[in-house]
Every structure is written in structure tokens, then in C-alpha cells.
Amino acid sequence: MRAKLAGALSLVILASLLAGGAVADDRAAAITEIRQESNSHSTRLVVACTGPVAYTYYSPDPLTLVVDIPEVDPSKVPSRISVGTREVESVRVTSMVRADGRSLARVEVRLASLVPYQIFSKDTTLNLVFERGAEAASNATATRTAAAEPAPAPAVAVKAAEPPEPPDTTTAKSAEASRPIESAVVITPRKKQPAATTAVVEGPAPRADRHPASRIIALSQADDDGRLSFDVKADGALKYQDFFLGNPDRLVIDFKDVMSRANVRSLDVNKGPVRKVRLAQFSAASPRVARMVLDLSARAPYRIVDGADGVKILFGEGEVPKAAPLAALRPEADAAAVMPEAAMPVQVLPGPAPAPLPVLPDPQAAPPTPDRPAEFQPVTLNPGERQFTGHPISLDFKDGDLQDIFRLFADISGLNIVVNPGVAGKVTLKLNEVPWDQALDLILKANGLGYTLEGNVIRIAPLAALQTEEQARRKLAEERALAGELASLTTRISYAKALELAEVLRKAGALSARGQLNVDPRTNTLIINDLPVFLEKAKDLIATLDLPTRQVEIEARIVVTSRNFTRDLGIQWGFNQVNSPQFGNTTGLTFPNALVINGQGVPANAGLPADQQGQASAAGIGTAGRGYAINLPAAGFNSAIGISLGNILGSFNLDAALTALERQGRGRLLSTPKITTQNNQAAEIKQGVQIPIQTVANNTVTVSFQDAVLTLKVTPQITEAGTVILTVDVQNNSADFANLVNGIPPINTQSARTQVLVRDGATAVIGGIYQSNEQTAQNLTPFLGRVPILGFLFRNRFVTSTNNELLLFITPRIIKDRG
């Protein structure tokens, strides 16, 4: 029965939780429907929501498009929708949870063929448009042609149906040589949050008539007609790949098959969306990759312009081009037509998105100056781990003179190098494409040398000389710090002990080498003589430590409950039947002439002698000698009912008695010790009796006392969060005088020892013991006592049940300052 009630209660709680979750979900934005609109030119999927739509998208493979819509509930639409057009095979909708705990609806579109598509949001709908047929193929070809040789105008427009006019070959080549090749990246902004949609575009490969670059020469910042731009100069055309990384926002551009030899590796911009620009060699082995990282304050539209001697990255070119409605994309539509305000499309040819490469960490060097290149300072990643940022060099020396090699490094780094007198030696090395700062560091380590950097001057000296200089510099700084007149400070300590606080001041370094500290225990006063700077430090430390200790009131409640129940049912009965001439009843037979059936108990030491006039007087028959054949009374019964029946002749008698006992009891004992103590100070309170115990040894009587008391021992620790850590020891011992042993009562023990964390004013159960004792006993006549129903006449039944429960509660209360 209890299991059924618990199951029903669990179902009610679960239903309440589900109902509460449903109400909470109804408040969030949700996808109400996904409908399909197809015609002879395209397939449109419209995702309708209950609020504004922000989205991100990517293509994990050429035939899959994934669109993520944050903070939207997709439970109201089917998880799978079959489309079955030439462009779209099916749509799958799933609900996900992001790392920050917020919900995410994922719409995965499975394409039936390689087709171009547009994605834009309008009001509360998200539109996915997929084009088809020969017109779509012509449009895709036109898009690839435009990506390879775009027009000078920066606008991005799509002509969906009409293929472009084939350009004149001579004109195209001459125009191509005079204008840069552009690669546009469009970002779809969210309405409430910063934009997160990123289109990853592979940079164009160098044309056949352009020489591919092998190294990057320079990095510079410029303002192109009020627009922020960055020039990456190289010795030829660059191949690149650009993509975004988040947390924090960064634009990463990888230049392939080149080495970075630019003398400027870092620019502090802090203008527009760009905070800082870094350029470094990401991979020196084949394939070689130079990486440019732009740290952004927020994602913004940008454009990369490819040239014969490098690339230019442009920011702030106005609004993102807006998309026209699907009905406007017709052969006769103007490619520069104005698109609806709410729609912001991105035209992307399906294809796998390149996996982003890891980004180099920020250099920790000082800002670059004309006299001090920033690449010399290494980046400290972890203790003992460094990353060198100098441009790679190749060296091959056999027994090269150190002085000449250091002069060579001065020419390579652009820094001034001073070598201490006495630094000499030979070095043999062969390094291939190693950063020059790492090469210098290896040469210094191999010869037991070190360096100091002062401005744009590197001074090289033996490590022992640098160590001696550092020790002398530190000693001079210490002597300067100890110079000056001493002052005196006398302060009386209010809450702490002056002797203990004096030790803390000495160990905390609040005194200088010239300082003296004296303590007056009688007035609890500190007397300090030291430099004024150290006196202020000691004064601030004393003000921090000499504070009143907070106090805690701890209340414990010990609840002991007991319940017992006893039921005992018994039965007694007997009878006798006499057929004899004495009672005028005879069997009518010669033998047996008289018949006595005795269903009563036979008294002790009495048998059944031969019949004398048909009456066995000693067999218990008769008023004085009656007994019970079934004698199973309740033990210690307090209720009974009996009946005695007989015929008028007295030849038949029946005696029966029912006995019963039922007893139940309940007990409750509540003990509430309470004590107040200071933070981190142990406290104890007890109440009870001490039992004297006498022992005799060598005719000497010794009396010892055993505690039978209620004891509370506790040590509180107050945390900054307003909670209390309690180390508790509770004992509830009592003497059991009902079960004396040699006149000495035993002790019933109930105790708990633990450590708990409890909120201020809250109550916690620190322990509990539950005991249940159930017993059932019955006495019966063999065989007859097991007969159904009739067996109750041949058995008695005894049932007892005892339940004991112990609960220990603890409640701490922090005493607030009343000041």
C-alpha cells in the first residue's frame, strides 16, 4: 500500500514539474511551422517563429546545410520533414543545449543536388531559397566567374536566371591587369545580439600571369578614404584563406606557401572594430603558412582585395548589400535593385567549410618602436615554456668567433648589441630556418652567457657577472630602502592579544630590518619603532586583524520517540460425556455397560482407574475437578469470558473460556541543549547524573563516577558566504535502573560525531537511528490447530511490535553586530 501511495505521489510531482517546464517554455521564442514554397525556378523553405530570428549557418559537407537558431524552442514542429524536390531532399529539426546552458534549435537541410542558395531573415521568419535547373547552373557559373574576376564595384548582387554576357577576351585581360581581385565576406547581423554568421571564403589562387609570392615583406596600416585598411606586402601574389574565431572575436587570414619576413609583426590599432593585428609564421615546415590575426571588438563586414604584390584588408565599406524578394529574381530584374530592409542574404556556393587552424597567442612584448623591433621578446606560455617570434634564419658556422657572430645578430635584429669584456670563444652550429631570437638564446646557453635588455640595447655578459650585478643592485636597493629616520607607533589592541599579534607582524614582514617591536601585556599595547613607510604598513595590518570575533549560537535538538503494541488472544475449553446406569443412561450392552468420554484435563498424579459405577471420580469430572482439554490462555491477560454448559442430569458438561490482552504505548523525549561561542572556539555544555561505582582492592574501597549525561560539544567556523561549518559531538547517555547489574545500572548511549555545513539560521538533520522490532508467536494443538477456521479452537496467538526512533537536529545562528 505504501509503495502504491509513493508511486502515485511521484507521478503527481513529475506531472507538476512537466507542467511547470511547459509553462516556462511557452514564454520563450518557438518555431511555429516550417513550410515549403516551390515553383519552376526554386524551392523556398520558410521557418516561422514567434519572435525575431537570429541565426548562424555552415556546411559540413557539399550536400548538407546546417542553420542554428539560438534561444528558440523547436518542439512544436516535426523532427523530420520530407521535401522531395530537385533541390532539397529533407529537413531535420533538433533541439540542443549550448555550453553556456542556453537552448539552440538546429535546422539541418539535406540537399538533393549541388545548388546555390540564399539565407535571409525577415521579421519573424527565416527564408532559405534554393535555385534549380539550367538557369541555376548558369547563375552558379556566373558566380564562380565573378569570384575569379569581379567587377570594380564592391557591391555584391546575384542575378538568378539570366547568364552574363561573355566578356571580350582582350578587354578582360587588360582590365584584369589594372584592377585588383576582390573576395567579399558578408556577415548577417542579429537584431539583438552581435553578429555570429560567418561565410568562409577561400582566397583566389594567383593567376598564371602573376608570380606567386614566397615571402611577406611588410605589414602596415592605412586609412583609405576614411576606411580602415591594412596592407600586406609580398614579393608576389598571395594565396589566402580567411575565417572567424569566437571567444574572443578574431578574424584569421592564413597565407599559404610563404614565409613571414616583415619587420613589423604587431600593430596596436584600437580603431573601428579592430583592436590589434598580429602577423607571425604559423608553420615553417611544408606546407609553410604565415598567419595574420586581427583581434576584433565586434564582428563587422570586411573585404579582401588581392593584388600583384600582396593583399589589402578593408573595413567600413558601408551597409551590407540587401537581398531582393524571390519573386524579383528574374532575368529582367536589375542586378543592383534595392532589396527589402529586413532581408540580408549571403550567396554561397555549396561546399565543405575549411577547418579553422589554431591561432598564435598574443605576444607579450612591449609596443614596437622604430629603434626596438617587437619580435625580440619571447612569449611565455607556461612556466619554463617559451615561444620565439623572430623571423627565421639559417646559420652554418664551424669554429666561428663569438664576437663576430654577435655583430651578425645586431645586423639581423636591428638592435644594438654590447658585449662585456672577456666574452670570447668559438662556436660550431648549423641551423636551418630557426627564429633568430631562438638561435641567439641557444648560443648564449651553450657558452654560459646571458643578456639584459635596456631600451633597444642588448648587453651580453657571463651569467656569473650578471648574477653579481643583480645581487649588488638588490643590495643597493635594500640599503636605500632602509635609509631614513626612525619613528614610533604606540597602539592599544582591542580584540586580539598583543603577544599573538606581535608574532603575526614579524612573520608577515611588516617590519624592516631596523624595526623593533615591544609588547606591554598589562595594557595589551604594541610599541613599534621603525621607518615611516613600514609603520604605515604595520598600522594597516593591525587595523585589518584587530577586529571583534563573530559569535555563533548553536542549538541542538535530540528527539527520542518510541511506540509499542502487544496483542495476545487465548482459548480454554473442555467437556465430559457420561453414559452410565448412575445417570439413567446405559449403552444397552453387556460390554461396555457404561461409557465415559472425558474431554477435560486430567489433574496431576491422577489416572483413569477402572470404572466404579460408571464414574471415574478422580478423572477431573465434577465441579471440583474440572479442567480444560485445550488450555491455551493469553499470558497475563486482563480480559476474559467463560461459559459452562451441562444437561439436567449432569451427564454432559461443557466448559469454555476466552482470554485476551492488548496493550499499546507511545513515548517522546525532547532534549534541547543550546550554547553560544566565538568563531573557531570550541564549546561544551552537559546535563545529567554521575553514577558512583565502588571497587575494592587490597581492602581499599575506591569510588569512581561514570557520566550519564546529555553533552553537546561544538566548534563553529563562519565562512564569507554566511554559512557555518560545524564540528559537532552530541551524546545522550542515560542510566537504565530497570536492569541493574550487581546493583549498578547500565548506561544507554546515543551519540553522533560529524562535521556539516549549514546556512545561518537553517536547521540540518545530522543523524538518526530507527529501530523496528516485530514478533509473532502462537501455541497450538498439533494437526488440529492448522485446520482452517476450526483451528482457532485449538491455538492462541501473540503479536508484539516495538518502534524506536532517534533524530538529531542542529541549528546555528550568527549573532549580528548591534553597533
Side-chain angles (χ1 to χ4, degrees), residues 565-757:
F565 173 80
T566 301
R567 175 179 292 169
D568 193 357
L569 299 177
I571 188 170
Q572 297 171 288
W573 62 270
F575 71 95
N576 70 326
Q577 172 68 42
V578 178
N579 292 326
S580 66
Q582 180 183 356
F583 293 97
N585 294 324
T586 179
T587 62
L589 300 175
T590 303
F591 178 86
N593 182 38
L595 180 63
V596 177
I597 301 176
N598 193 346
Q600 295 178 333
V602 177
N605 301 321
L608 290 175
D611 182 34
Q612 298 177 0
Q613 298 180 354
Q615 176 65 44
S617 59
I621 299 174
T623 303
R626 289 183 182 176
Y628 296 104
I630 304 299
N631 190 17
L632 299 173
F637 60 89
N638 56 9
S639 301
I641 184 172
I643 188 172
S644 180
L645 303 176
N647 60 4
I648 193 169
L649 297 177
S651 61
F652 178 81
N653 296 282
L654 174 63
D655 296 324
L658 294 177
T659 57
L661 169 69
E662 183 170 322
R663 180 174 58 243
Q664 62 180 359
R666 294 188 178 185
R668 181 174 180 267
L669 175 63
L670 175 63
S671 303
T672 310
K674 183 186 298 185
I675 193 169
T676 301
T677 183
Q678 290 186 339
N679 187 27
N680 291 316
Q681 296 295 322
E684 179 180 358
I685 185 172
K686 62 173 61 177
Q687 182 268 332
V689 298
Q690 289 185 326
I691 301 173
I693 300 176
Q694 293 183 354
T695 57
V696 179
N698 298 326
N699 296 325
T700 301
V701 178
T702 303
V703 179
S704 60
F705 292 88
Q706 182 69 34
D707 289 340
V709 297
L710 169 64
T711 306
L712 171 64
K713 299 178 182 178
V714 61
T715 303
Q717 178 183 343
I718 303 174
T719 68
E720 291 297 327
T723 57
V724 183
I725 300 175
L726 297 173
T727 302
V728 185
D729 184 4
V730 181
Q731 295 184 5
N732 186 23
N733 300 333
S734 60
D736 186 5
F737 292 98
N739 301 297
L740 298 177
V741 178
N742 296 328
I744 300 175
I747 296 177
N748 296 327
T749 301
Q750 298 168 341
S751 64
R753 182 179 300 170
T754 183
Q755 186 178 67
V756 293
L757 175 65

Side-chain angles (χ1 to χ4, degrees), residues 86-222:
R86 296 181 182 178
E87 297 79 28
V88 181
E89 176 181 327
S90 61
V91 178
R92 188 162 66 104
V93 184
T94 56
S95 177
M96 305 181 69
V97 179
R98 302 194 302 189
D100 56 1
R102 294 187 292 178
S103 60
L104 179 74
R106 173 161 293 177
V107 179
E108 183 176 342
V109 182
R110 183 65 179 172
L111 302 179
S113 59
L114 293 175
V115 294
Y117 53 84
Q118 297 183 39
I119 305 175
F120 62 92
S121 61
K122 183 177 181 181
D123 297 332
T124 60
T125 61
L126 177 65
N127 295 266
L128 293 82
V129 183
F130 304 87
E131 299 174 356
R132 75 162 79 158
E135 294 175 347
S138 299
N139 183 45
T141 304
T143 305
R144 295 189 182 96
T145 305
E149 300 179 6
V156 178
V158 180
K159 225 171 185 181
E162 184 177 1
E165 294 280 341
D168 182 78
T169 306
T170 306
T171 306
K173 288 184 177 179
S174 61
E176 191 176 9
S178 62
R179 69 172 182 261
I181 294 179
E182 299 176 356
S183 172
V185 175
V186 181
I187 304 172
T188 302
R190 299 185 182 183
K191 293 186 177 182
K192 292 183 179 181
Q193 299 178 357
T197 303
T198 304
V200 181
V201 179
E202 179 73 17
R207 293 207 324 258
D209 57 344
R210 291 184 181 178
H211 177 68
S214 62
R215 66 178 59 192
I216 295 176
I217 301 174
L219 168 65
S220 61
Q221 174 186 348

Side-chain angles (χ1 to χ4, degrees), residues 24 32 35 71 145 184 244 292 315 368 408 484 515 754 768 776 782 799 804:
T32 57
R35 64 178 181 269
E71 300 180 20
T145 305
F244 273 112
M292 180 178 178
F315 288 85
L408 174 62
T754 183
T776 301
V799 176
N804 297 318

Side-chain angles (χ1 to χ4, degrees), residues 54 150 222 272 278 286 296 330 354 420 526 636 709:
R278 295 168 284 149
S286 181
L296 306 177
R330 292 292 181 265
N420 269 23
L526 289 177
V709 297

